[in-house]
Structures are given as structure tokens and as C-alpha cells.
Amino acid sequence: MKNVGETREAPKGTPQDDLATGEHSTRNRVARSILDHGPSTVAELADRLGLTAAAVRRHLDALAAESVVEPREKRVYGSRGRGRPAKVFALTDCGRDAFDQSYDKLAADALRWIAAAAGGGEAGEAAVAAFARARLAAQMEAYRAPVEAAPPGTRAAALAEALSADGFAATTRAAPNGQGEQLCQHHCPVAHVAEQFPQLCEAETEAFSQLLGTHVQRLATIAHGDGVCTTFVPRTPHGAAPRTDPTTDSTAGRNPA
């Protein structure tokens, strides 16, 4: 159930793992049944899906371990009979989000509205870019303290750590040319929207440059179809002060140099 929704060809309302077979497919049928029918007991799920109770429990254990479902005490309306109340399994917020495919569409619709409201054309593109810069400025402000506190040679690594805390799975590595390092983001929450609005990637690159105080170059992006968002950060000469007017280049889609 992890990373569901990232396969673009998935049928509407169906998690990515529904395209798989075997255990994953059955596990998603269990989760989908809970989504469609509400909190359910093991017996209800077994009857609904034509599975044994033991099989249902095995899948529920796996889903609970991934924080997709959670056990709850069944809510009883009216007088409660004797004995322990039945235990039901309900979707967590994480599990419900796994089935929700609407966030990317909502974001893209909002950006299209911004562009149209600004008059479309170049004015519309500029409005989207302004929004992207404002959004990134707020995000980068939270990273400023740890990045500026890091020694000059480790600031890209400090930025990667901050990005990872926000779910970007970022790392750094030495650049092949030996002249700096590459900041690699292995996950991008807005990749699908950035395919339609490259201003999001451009604003992020500008924000990295401003935060690191140096010229940076975007080499590849997930939105462009690359496996990793890769930004080249040149080595700052020893003793050199950060640039006050950092600029950026974008060659998104090229293989890292």
C-alpha cells in the first residue's frame, strides 16, 4: 500500500497495488472493502470477499503494520448485549489517502485557475511562477537556520537532511567532475503537477540557490521523467563568501554530468 497513487495508468479510485497480483492484490481488496462498506469485522470481510477468516486476519495484520488499517471497538447503537464487543477494522487517514487520487487534479486545477485569472498567456505563466516562488519561500525559510548553521562545505548535506524530513528522500553525493556535489531528491510530492507547470521546479531551483548562496544547476527532474531530481551544487572556494546574487540554470531532463 505504500506509494500508492504514483502509477498514472491506475483505474480511477484504485490504488497502484491493485495492478499487482497475489498477496498485494488481495490485500488491496480487503482495504477497498473497508473503504466501500465502512469499519468491518473479520467475519464480514471474509464473507464479502470469499476468503477464509485466517486469510483475512493475515492481510489485516499486514495492513495494520503499514498503518493502513487499525482495529477499533465496534460502535453499538442502542442497548449492548453481554460479552465483549466485536472488533472491527477501519481505514486510517493514511489508508484513506491511499485511495484518494484527487489531490494532483485539485492542485493542477488551482494553478490553471490562477493562470486564467491573470489573463492567460505570459501573464498567466508569470502568475503561476509568482505563486510557486511564494510557496517555496515559505518552505525554505524553515530550512534556513540548519543550513546557515552548517559549515560551508556541508550546507548541501544540511539542506538534504531538511528536505528528507519533509518527505523528499534527499541525499548528496560527489559530482563526477569533482567540482562540487549533487543534491538528489528521490521523491517529489508534486511531480505530477510539475509536469504541467514547470514553474514549480524552476522556483525550487531558485530557492536552493538563494538558500545555499551559490549558483546551482538543475540537471534532472522526476517531473521530466528522470528517476531522481538532481541539482549540481558547485564547490565554494575555501574562504570565499557566499554569492549575494545567486543565479540558476536548468537543464532538467539531461543526465547528470
Side-chain angles (χ1 to χ4, degrees), residues 61-216:
D61 287 343
L63 291 168
E66 295 178 353
S67 299
V68 174
V69 303
E70 62 184 1
R72 296 179 184 173
E73 186 175 298
K74 186 173 184 178
R75 182 174 296 178
V76 177
Y77 297 94
S79 59
R80 172 185 289 183
R82 293 184 178 181
R84 297 179 59 184
K87 182 168 65 174
V88 297
F89 289 83
L91 288 180
T92 62
D93 289 341
C94 174
R96 194 170 296 279
D97 287 347
F99 288 92
D100 195 338
Q101 307 292 316
S102 64
Y103 293 125
D104 285 349
K105 184 178 184 302
L106 175 63
D109 287 347
L111 291 177
R112 274 190 288 271
W113 186 90
I114 290 173
E122 292 184 1
E125 292 180 4
V128 172
F131 166 81
R133 291 191 186 99
R135 173 182 172 273
L136 264 297
Q139 180 182 341
M140 293 300 123
E141 193 59 36
Y143 303 161
R144 187 171 303 281
V147 170
E148 292 184 348
T154 65
R155 285 177 178 166
L159 175 56
E161 185 175 347
L163 287 165
S164 292
D166 271 352
F168 289 87
T171 59
T172 57
R173 65 188 181 195
N177 60 16
Q179 299 301 308
E181 55 192 325
Q182 292 176 350
L183 173 63
C184 303
Q185 295 158 264
H186 302 271
H187 176 63
C188 176
V190 298
H192 295 170
V193 181
E195 289 179 25
Q196 305 171 57
F197 298 95
Q199 295 96 325
L200 297 177
C201 295
E202 293 164 4
E204 183 180 69
T205 308
E206 292 174 9
F208 287 172
S209 179
Q210 293 166 4
L211 191 59
L212 295 172
T214 186
H215 165 98
V216 302

